[in-house]
Amino acid sequence: MAQVSEEREDRVDATGEPPAARPGTPEPAGAGAPAAPEIPGTGRTAETPAAPENPARGEASATSEAGKAAETPAGPASSAAASAGGAVAETPAASANGVSAVSANGAAAEASAASESGAAAASAGDAAAEAQAPSANGATAGASAAAEGAAETGTPEAKKASKAGRNLPAAIGVALLLGAAVIVSLVTVRYLFIGIIAIAMAVGTFEFAGVLRRVAGTRVAMIPVLVGGQAMIWLAWPFGREGALTAFVLTVLACLLWRLPGGAKGYLRDISASVFAAAYLPLFGAFAAMLVPPSDGVGRVLTFLIGVVASDTGGYIAGVLGGKHPMAPTISPKKTWEGFAGSVIGGVVAGALTLSLLLDGHVWQGAIFGVAIVLTATLGDLVESLIKRDLGVKDMGTLLPGHGGLMDRLDSLLPSAVVSWLLLSAFVPVG
C-alpha cells in the first residue's frame, strides 16, 4: 500500500491532476471539487463541509451514519463507529493529492459497517427489552387482575377457626334437651331411664355399624348385636351383672353363627367388629342401667351423669380459654393438658358435692370418684377419637346438631358407667 501511494503521489506531482480511477474503483469524494486552501505556516489544509449526499455513491450518507453512530454509545460496535466517525471528521473532504480522499472513503465505509453493526446490536437490545417487558408487565397485570378479582368477588381472608370447634348454640340446645329428658325420666318413673339407655344403644349401634360398612367395608352382624344388646340392657334390671354378662356371651355366639353363610373372606374382621360393637355399646350401657334399680338409684344416676358432664364441661372451658399444650396430638389435637386440668377440677368438685349430698357419702370418696370419672371419660374420648381417625371420619353421624352423632356424645359416658357402678357399689353399698 505504501508503494502504491508513493507512485500515485509521483503521478500527481508530475501532472498536477489526480490519476483516473480504475474501473470498479469508487471515485474519490472530492473529485471535481476545488482543492482546499492550505493554512499558512501549518502545512495543513482547511477542513471543508461534507459534500452533499450523492444518491449514486452514498458516500456522504455513510459519513453521516458514522457520525450518528459516534453520538450513540450502544456498546463496543457503536464505539468503533464513533472512532471511525471521528476519523472521517478529521479527514479533509477533498485533497489535492487524492490520498486523503481515498482514506476518507475507506474510513466512511468502515464507519458505515460499524454503524450498521451498532444499529443491529441496538435493535437486538431493544427487541430483548421489548420481549422482557411483556413478561414483567404480564406478571404485574396477572397479579393486579387477581387482586381485582378477589376484590370484586369479595373473597375474604381465611377466617380464623372458631375456638369452640363446633356450632355452640346448637350444641347447648341439644345438650339441654337431652338433659331435660333424663331429668324428667328420673323424677317421674326412674325406670324410664333404662328405656332411654336402650334407645341410645340401638341408635349408637346403627351409627357405628354404618360407618364401618361405608368406610372399611366391614359388616357387623346387625340382628344379633341389636337383639343381644337390648337383652343386655333389660336383663341388667332384674338380674344385675349376671344377666348382662349372660346376654353378652349369647350375643357373641349368635354373631359367630350369623356370619357363617358369608364365607371365609373377611370372617374374622366382621366377627371382631361385631363383638367389639356388642361390648363397647350395650354391655357398657348395661352398667348404667344397673344404677337405676336400687332405692337411691336416682342419686346414683345423677352422681354418674353430673360427674361426666362436669368433667367434659371443665375440660372444654379450660381448653378453649387457655389450652396450649396438646395432650395427645396424634390422636386428638384439640385435647390439651390445660383442658385436662379443668376436667380434674370440675370432676373432683362435682364428685365431692354429689356423692356427699345425694348419697350420704364422704367428701374424700367423692374426690376419688371425681378423679376416676375424669380418667375414664378422657380415656373414652381418646378411644373414640382414635377410632374415628382410624376410619378417616370426623363424626360418627349427624343426628345431633353441634355434636355429630349420638356415638360422639356417648364416648365419655360408656366407660364411665362401668367405673361409676363399681365405685358407687363400693362406697355406698346397696342396703
Side-chain angles (χ1 to χ4, degrees):
M1 289 296 292
Q3 183 177 0
V4 173
S5 299
E6 291 175 358
E7 292 176 356
R8 290 173 64 88
E9 289 177 2
D10 293 340
R11 293 173 62 188
V12 170
D13 292 340
T15 62
E17 293 181 359
R22 294 180 182 179
T25 303
E27 186 175 348
E38 179 178 356
I39 299 175
T42 62
R44 298 175 58 188
T45 58
E47 296 178 0
T48 59
E53 180 177 353
N54 189 339
R57 296 183 179 87
E59 297 165 5
S61 175
T63 307
S64 175
E65 289 178 2
K68 291 181 181 179
E71 294 176 359
T72 306
S78 296
S79 300
S83 300
V88 173
E90 294 177 358
T91 304
S95 174
N97 56 16
V99 178
S100 298
V102 175
S103 301
N105 287 334
E110 293 176 0
S112 177
S115 174
E116 291 175 0
S117 300
S123 300
D126 292 341
E130 290 175 1
Q132 293 175 358
S135 301
N137 293 338
T140 305
S144 301
E148 291 174 3
E152 290 176 1
T153 56
T155 304
E157 294 182 358
K159 294 182 178 180
K160 292 183 179 180
S162 173
K163 294 182 100 176
R166 65 176 74 176
N167 186 344
L168 195 56
I172 294 175
V174 170
L176 291 176
L177 288 176
L178 294 176
V182 170
I183 292 174
V184 169
S185 67
L186 291 175
V187 299
T188 55
V189 181
R190 69 177 187 269
Y191 293 104
L192 292 176
F193 182 68
I194 298 177
I196 293 177
I197 295 173
I199 294 172
M201 296 303 103
V203 174
T205 300
F206 271 111
E207 288 183 348
F208 184 61
V211 171
L212 288 179
R213 183 178 63 255
R214 291 192 306 271
V215 175
T218 301
R219 297 187 175 274
V220 174
M222 285 297 297
I223 300 300
V225 173
L226 285 175
V227 174
Q230 294 301 306
M232 295 178 216
I233 299 296
W234 293 105
L235 290 178
W237 176 5
F239 302 109
R241 58 185 176 185
E242 289 80 6
L245 291 174
T246 301
F248 172 72
V249 172
L250 292 176
T251 300
V252 173
L253 292 174
C255 290
L256 295 174
L257 293 173
W258 188 271
R259 180 58 181 77
L260 282 178
K265 185 176 180 180
Y267 181 83
L268 182 60
R269 176 197 64 195
D270 294 344
I271 290 298
S272 300
S274 300
V275 173
F276 178 78
Y280 187 60
L281 285 155
L283 182 59
F284 282 12
F287 284 89
M290 288 189 287
L291 294 172
V292 178
S295 57
D296 57 353
V298 174
R300 291 173 184 268
V301 172
L302 289 176
T303 300
F304 154 60
L305 293 177
I306 292 173
V308 175
V309 171
S311 173
D312 287 349
T313 304
Y316 178 75
I317 294 174
V320 168
L321 296 180
K324 296 180 180 179
H325 301 85
M327 185 178 183
T330 59
I331 300 175
S332 182
K334 293 182 179 180
K335 188 170 290 296
T336 62
W337 285 108
E338 290 81 3
F340 180 74
S343 295
V344 172
I345 295 173
V348 169
V349 172
L353 292 175
T354 55
L355 201 139
S356 60
L357 296 177
L358 297 177
L359 298 176
D360 295 330
H362 299 287
V363 174
W364 64 269
Q365 292 174 332
I368 295 175
F369 178 83
V371 171
I373 291 297
V374 168
L375 293 176
T376 53
T378 303
L379 174 64
D381 192 9
L382 292 176
V383 168
E384 182 79 7
S385 297
L386 197 57
I387 291 173
K388 291 188 289 187
R389 189 171 292 276
D390 183 29
L391 296 175
V393 297
K394 184 178 183 297
D395 294 316
M396 285 292 188
T398 58
L399 180 63
L400 305 178
H403 292 270
L406 187 61
M407 276 289 294
D408 297 296
R409 292 301 91 205
L410 295 174
D411 53 2
S412 56
L413 289 169
L414 291 171
S416 298
V418 179
V419 173
S420 294
W421 183 82
L422 291 173
L423 288 180
L424 291 180
S425 298
F427 291 156
V428 187
V430 177

